[in-house]
Amino acid sequence: MAQGETPAWNAMSNGVPKDFSRRRFLEVIGATGVAALTGIPIVERIWAASEIEAVQRDAQGLAHQWVMVFDLRRCDGCRDCIKGCQEQHHLPKTDEWIKVYELVDAQGLHFAMPVLCMQCETAPCVRVCPVRATYHRDDGVIVVDQDVCIGCRMCMAACPYDVRVFNWDKAAAIDERFHADTPEFTVPQQQGTVSKCTMCVHLLEEGSLPSCLTSCSMEAIFVGDLVEDVMTNGRENFVLSQYLRANDAWRFRAELGTKPRVYYVSGHGQDLDY
C-alpha cells in the first residue's frame, strides 16, 4: 500500500486479502462499471431504484451512508454470521443479533434468510424511545446508548423485525482488555438495557468490514455505501445500484414504510410469498 493511502476495507479472515486498499477497491469498481456498460441496458445501469437516487441526493456532503446486501442465492444457512457477530461483540450464545430463518418460497423451495437490524430510515424504535437512547448517526446507522437506556423495551415492541435483544442477565466476566463503552461498540452489554446489531460501524470507521461479513464462508453478505455507490463482500466488488437493479433486490417488509437499509437478492423468476 502506498504511503498515505487510506487503508479502507481491510479484510480480516476467511482467506480474504489483507491489504484490500481503497485504491484497489475503486480500481475494481471501475472495471465492474466497464463490464456493466457492455451487457446491461442503459435504463438498468443508471440507478437501482428511485429510493436509492433519493437517498443519494439527501446524502450530499456526507461521507458515507451504509447499507447491507444479502444475496440469498449464496446463503446456505450455516449460521457462521451469527457466530462471528457473537465473537466480535462478546455476546452469550443465547443472544443473537442476527437470526437465520429457514423459509419456503411459493414454489416449495427451501432457502435461508438472515434477519438483523434493518437500520430503518424511518425507524419506529427511534421514534418511541422516551429518553433518546436509540438514535441515528449521520451515516444512517442506528445505535443504542446503554448509559442512557432505561430498559423500558418500547423499542422492542415497536420494531417490526423482532431483532432487538433485552439484556436480562448480568454480563459474564469478560477480560477488561476487551471492554468498550460507546454506543457504537459496547462490551459487555449492560444488564437491564436493550442491544442490537450496529452494522459493526466501529469496524467500518477503521476501514474494516463487519464481522458477520468476514465470517460468511459463502460470501453472501455485502456492505455498501450509497454515497460512493459501491458494495463489497471483501473479495468481490460491485456498483451498488447496478447490482440491486440487475438482481431484483428487495427490502423486507418495505410496505410498512420503514425504509430499511438492508437489501436482499433472491434470484430471478422466484415467486416469493412470506
Side-chain angles (χ1 to χ4, degrees):
M1 183 174 64
Q3 186 176 4
E5 185 176 353
T6 304
W9 308 95
N10 292 334
M12 298 177 63
S13 63
N14 296 326
V16 179
K18 293 184 178 180
D19 187 19
F20 196 79
S21 70
R22 183 181 184 84
R23 176 176 299 174
R24 175 57 180 154
F25 181 69
L26 294 176
E27 286 175 354
V28 177
I29 287 297
T32 305
V34 172
L37 287 172
T38 63
I40 301 176
I42 188 168
V43 68
E44 293 187 356
R45 58 182 170 79
I46 298 176
W47 296 120
S50 58
E51 65 265 27
I52 293 180
E53 188 174 9
V55 170
Q56 289 172 326
R57 284 198 303 268
D58 295 340
Q60 291 183 6
L62 298 177
H64 301 289
Q65 288 293 296
W66 302 115
V67 301
M68 295 197 75
V69 180
F70 288 81
D71 193 329
L72 302 183
R73 298 171 298 187
R74 303 182 181 191
C75 179
D76 64 355
C78 69
R79 298 171 59 87
D80 282 350
C81 55
I82 299 175
K83 298 174 185 175
C85 173
Q86 291 174 331
E87 180 177 354
Q88 171 66 217
H89 296 276
H90 299 268
L91 302 177
K93 291 184 178 180
T94 53
D95 288 357
E96 295 182 349
W97 288 1
I98 309 174
K99 303 178 188 297
V100 179
Y101 295 104
E102 296 291 331
L103 301 175
V104 180
D105 66 18
Q107 298 176 336
L109 301 175
H110 291 258
F111 67 99
M113 179 176 167
V115 175
L116 71 175
C117 175
M118 297 289 156
Q119 314 295 345
C120 304
E121 292 178 41
T122 55
C125 59
V126 173
R127 187 170 62 249
V128 302
C129 180
V131 294
R132 299 183 180 180
T134 292
Y135 63 91
H136 279 105
R137 287 164 41 98
D138 289 343
D139 55 16
V141 176
I142 298 173
V143 296
V144 180
D145 188 338
Q146 294 189 355
D147 290 333
V148 177
C149 178
I150 59 175
C152 67
R153 289 179 283 169
M154 292 181 65
C155 57
M156 297 178 67
C159 176
Y161 303 102
D162 191 27
V163 290
R164 286 180 164 246
V165 175
F166 188 74
N167 300 305
W168 288 98
D169 302 321
K170 185 177 180 180
I174 297 173
D175 192 317
E176 291 189 0
R177 292 177 300 168
F178 302 109
H179 284 202
D181 186 23
T182 67
E184 289 76 16
F185 186 51
T186 302
V187 177
Q189 302 304 307
Q190 297 183 21
Q191 185 181 24
T193 65
V194 174
S195 59
K196 70 170 194 69
C197 165
T198 59
M199 208 185 283
C200 282
V201 69
H202 64 292
L203 296 180
L204 290 171
E205 289 179 334
E206 297 172 354
S208 299
L209 300 172
S211 293
C212 60
L213 185 159
T214 55
S215 301
C216 180
S217 59
M218 301 302 292
E219 301 173 354
I221 304 175
F222 295 80
V223 65
D225 182 2
L226 288 168
V227 174
E228 297 196 37
D229 199 16
V230 294
M231 57 181 273
T232 183
N233 61 2
R235 185 176 296 274
E236 302 166 281
N237 311 280
F238 299 97
V239 176
L240 173 64
S241 58
Q242 291 179 353
Y243 191 90
L244 299 182
R245 176 84 178 204
N247 292 286
D248 296 332
W250 50 277
R251 297 184 294 179
F252 186 35
R253 307 192 72 179
E255 72 278 7
L256 299 176
T258 53
K259 298 182 180 179
R261 286 280 179 94
V262 176
Y263 293 83
Y264 292 94
V265 172
S266 295
H268 295 286
Q270 295 181 4
D271 184 12
L272 300 175
D273 184 15
Y274 301 105

